[in-house]
Amino acid sequence: MDACIAAIDQGTTSSRCILFDHDGRAIGSAQLEHEQIFPRAGWVEHDPTALWRNSARALETAAADAGRTVAAVGITNQRETTIVWDRATGEPVTNAIVWQDTRTDRLCLELAGAAGPDRYRQRTGLPLSTYFAGPKLRWILDNVAGARARAEAGELCFGTVDSWLVWQLTGGRTHVTDVTNASRTMLMDLRTLDWDPQLCAEFGVPLAMLPEIRSSSEVYAEVAVGPLAGVPIAGILGDQQAATFGQACLDPGEAKNTYGTGNFMLLNTGTEPVDSEHGLLTTVCYRLGDQAPVYALEGSIAVTGSLVQWLRDNLGIIAGAAEIEPLALSVSDNGGVYFVPAFSGLFAPRWRPDARGVIAGLTRYVNKAHIARAVLEATAFQTREVLDAMRADSGVELTTLKVDGGMVGNETLMQFQADLLDVPVVRPVVAETTALGAAYAAGLAVGYWAGTEDVRTNWAEDKRWLPRMNSAERDRRYAEWNRAVERTYGWLD
Ligand SMILES: Nc1ncnc2c1ncn2[C@@H]1O[C@H](COP(=O)(O)OP(=O)(O)O)[C@@H](O)[C@H]1O
Ligand SMILES: O=P(O)(O)OC[C@H](O)CO
């Protein structure tokens, strides 16, 4: 039987492994959820050992079930989530601090100083925000007993989840990351693609604890533990960059939007970084071996699918995510309700750490179905803000928006999205584009696929939603949304 490529997708809510064949079709998978740990308001943690254990188990299970030879392993991961571990024992010094965690809000204000949050934007492409790994790493060094001294003595390693998984897969021999993940730390110079010693000094991060930055597609090492020992690890991409690659957005001007825990729209801008003046991030999209890096503009939204989970877990209005669609459709509109889920402040394009969530427009008339509708609409409205910023920064007018992620099974949301953007929304046959992108990166490095033309050829459309809302209605609703967003501002000092 033909060999296949395995992709580990270590995400915010679960770890999965998907196996792909030459046509880019999924031929097997396994998935395990892990605990979301909320020790205090604003704090979000994961147990690093659970992330590794679940990823390893998913890899082994998927490979055993498929019974095919695995030619290479690719890794894609929730980005920014920060792990520090002991170089000798592999023991984490504390839980992983997750990208959504806001404990570093005051630290970010201090680091910004009089220069403000855009102090490092030119060099890193990022505003100073709790979102990124640099401030989280600084927090660990400042707050975990003995961590700074041990880091300075070279005893500790830092990594985003990709680094952590490679370290574990190689039995502690290989400490690497790829350019896409490194570009989310605030410690890498976006143009040299290397750690910036001055930035590291300003963040108080010893260079000795940082992984080596490599491309997104090359053989880094072989798996050294478990039944897949000897298989090359040959691709690493942050999950949103992987989805962009898996969606075959390989030319400047092509974009995708992923609807998962949060939403992330990435626009390929080619081999030069484009500075954003409208609240987007400049990030590395991918780098294949020693080819020139490809950059992207990114609009990151912290809370979209996780608002559906919140409705399920915190309010109990639905028992499962799929129930939101029939509930929302049981009423003809949102009843005047707008739900702005600023649970971690607001990310792109507003970057308002002082904001907190608001449900606006409540009256005695409103019921849970209106709230469900407002929850779905919140994802589409936030995406509209990001697309407007993309347009303003790049001048690109998208002819279609490629979508993927867990929420795109929700047809009501997809139709509303097309209506609100006035752009057709297109879902591919393989909706697991994140894992697919990592598989392509790994498969290209070992010659399983010949070149990026294969990525393009394998992409196929499944369904398309065309805009059908009139512009007056679109403008009215968007104006109401904007009024609701303004009411979230200034809740925190
Ligand atoms: N039918 C649905 N309607 C709305 N949201 C959904 C639906 N199915 C799943 N979701 C949401 O999608 C998210 C899961 O998407 P996924 O891409 O697997 O996330 P991640 O990779 O961030 O873990 C969850 O937050 C869930 O609430
Ligand atoms: O795990 P996901 O799919 O929600 O992605 C999280 C992002 O990488 C955060 O930047």
Side-chain angles (χ1 to χ4, degrees):
M1 223 184 284
D2 268 358
C4 63
I5 302 289
I8 297 173
D9 177 3
Q10 201 307 297
T12 309
T13 53
S14 72
S15 307
R16 54 196 143 192
C17 176
I18 304 183
L19 305 180
F20 293 95
D21 66 11
H22 271 111
D23 297 331
R25 300 296 168 117
I27 54 160
S29 68
Q31 180 166 7
L32 293 131
E33 285 200 12
H34 56 266
E35 187 191 357
Q36 305 295 315
I37 304 166
F38 305 111
R40 301 187 198 179
W43 291 31
V44 188
E45 298 181 352
H46 292 157
D47 171 4
T49 310
L51 303 185
W52 156 238
R53 207 180 38 232
N54 289 357
S55 299
R57 200 171 294 163
L59 174 65
E60 288 165 20
T61 309
D65 289 353
R68 294 211 200 179
T69 307
V70 175
V73 174
I75 294 174
T76 181
N77 55 291
Q78 53 169 321
R79 305 164 304 166
E80 300 95 15
T81 297
T82 298
I83 304 175
V84 175
W85 66 93
D86 186 295
R87 195 181 289 281
T89 64
E91 218 30 60
V93 301
T94 185
N95 271 342
I97 304 183
V98 176
W99 59 277
Q100 299 154 315
D101 188 294
T102 58
R103 78 185 65 182
T104 57
D105 48 5
R106 285 186 199 287
L107 174 61
C108 286
L109 281 176
E110 278 166 38
L111 288 165
D118 284 337
R119 179 172 179 189
Y120 301 116
R121 195 185 258 281
Q122 228 290 316
R123 251 183 297 171
T124 64
L126 312 172
L128 251 170
S129 158
T130 59
Y131 181 22
F132 304 110
K136 297 181 198 295
L137 174 52
R138 163 71 176 266
W139 188 94
I140 291 174
L141 293 171
D142 286 350
N143 291 282
V144 174
R148 180 168 295 285
R150 287 166 70 198
E152 280 167 1
E155 293 169 15
L156 299 184
C157 295
F158 152 78
T160 38
V161 174
D162 55 310
S163 292
W164 168 245
L165 294 183
V166 174
W167 177 271
Q168 294 292 346
L169 279 166
T170 59
R173 285 188 210 132
T174 308
H175 189 207
V176 295
T177 187
D178 91 303
V179 274
T180 67
N181 277 292
S183 75
R184 319 294 294 191
T185 59
M186 298 207 84
L187 303 174
M188 188 189 85
D189 184 313
L190 205 53
R191 288 160 182 86
T192 65
L193 304 180
D194 213 343
W195 302 119
D196 183 319
Q198 197 190 342
L199 279 172
C200 292
E202 289 186 32
F203 275 81
V205 170
L207 286 164
M209 72 186 308
L210 300 178
E212 188 188 341
I213 303 176
R214 306 273 285 267
S215 80
S216 318
S217 175
E218 62 177 279
V219 176
Y220 311 97
E222 288 180 357
V223 176
V225 296
L228 273 82
V231 175
I233 305 167
I236 305 177
L237 286 157
D239 57 8
Q240 302 309 322
Q241 285 89 341
T244 313
F245 199 60
Q247 284 270 29
C249 296
L250 305 172
D251 283 329
E254 293 185 305
K256 69 87 204 181
N257 197 27
T258 300
Y259 297 70
T261 307
N263 262 37
F264 303 88
M265 189 188 295
L266 270 78
L267 172 77
N268 181 325
T269 60
T271 52
E272 289 299 323
V274 172
D275 294 333
S276 173
E277 289 173 2
H278 298 89
L280 302 177
L281 310 178
T282 306
T283 200
V284 181
C285 193
Y286 56 88
R287 183 179 196 186
L288 304 179
D290 54 11
Q291 294 178 23
V294 172
Y295 292 88
L297 278 171
E298 172 176 326
S300 331
I301 303 169
V303 179
T304 57
S306 56
L307 186 58
V308 178
Q309 289 172 333
W310 184 83
L311 214 59
R312 181 194 65 189
D313 301 338
N314 295 43
L315 297 193
I317 286 178
I318 49 173
E323 283 182 18
I324 194 170
E325 190 167 10
L327 181 60
L329 282 175
S330 68
V331 287
S332 57
D333 59 27
N334 65 12
V337 175
Y338 291 81
F339 194 150
V340 189
F343 295 171
S344 303
L346 289 167
F347 283 15
R350 297 175 187 254
W351 300 105
R352 294 291 301 236
D354 58 317
R356 283 300 177 266
V358 155
I359 305 178
L362 289 175
T363 59
R364 187 68 202 272
Y365 168 74
V366 168
N367 62 35
K368 62 184 179 181
H370 296 116
I371 305 275
R373 199 146 181 141
V375 161
L376 287 183
E377 291 184 358
T379 293
F381 281 122
Q382 293 184 98
T383 299
R384 163 79 192 264
E385 292 187 1
V386 163
L387 188 74
D388 286 354
M390 246 351 140
R391 219 178 251 142
D393 267 338
S394 67
V396 171
E397 289 293 340
L398 290 183
T399 50
T400 53
L401 180 66
K402 290 176 170 178
V403 299
D404 53 68
M407 294 184 93
V408 303
N410 191 315
E411 307 236 352
T412 306
L413 171 60
M414 293 299 102
Q415 181 58 53
F416 188 66
Q417 186 69 89
D419 288 343
L420 208 61
L421 299 181
D422 199 21
V423 169
V425 166
V426 178
R427 187 175 68 192
V429 171
V430 179
E432 293 286 359
T433 52
T434 301
L436 181 58
Y440 280 138
L444 286 167
V446 298
Y448 183 84
W449 285 290
T452 49
E453 260 327 296
D454 290 338
V455 177
R456 231 185 271 282
T457 316
N458 286 346
W459 190 93
E461 180 173 326
D462 171 42
K463 183 152 186 187
R464 157 179 307 246
W465 290 268
L466 300 175
R468 51 183 199 209
M469 187 181 278
N470 68 55
S471 61
E473 178 67 1
R474 179 182 308 121
D475 292 349
R476 182 187 69 76
R477 294 202 194 194
Y478 192 46
E480 285 188 358
W481 162 261
N482 276 299
R483 283 172 57 212
V485 177
E486 277 159 25
R487 281 162 173 74
T488 68
Y489 287 4
W491 185 256
L492 291 193
D493 289 338

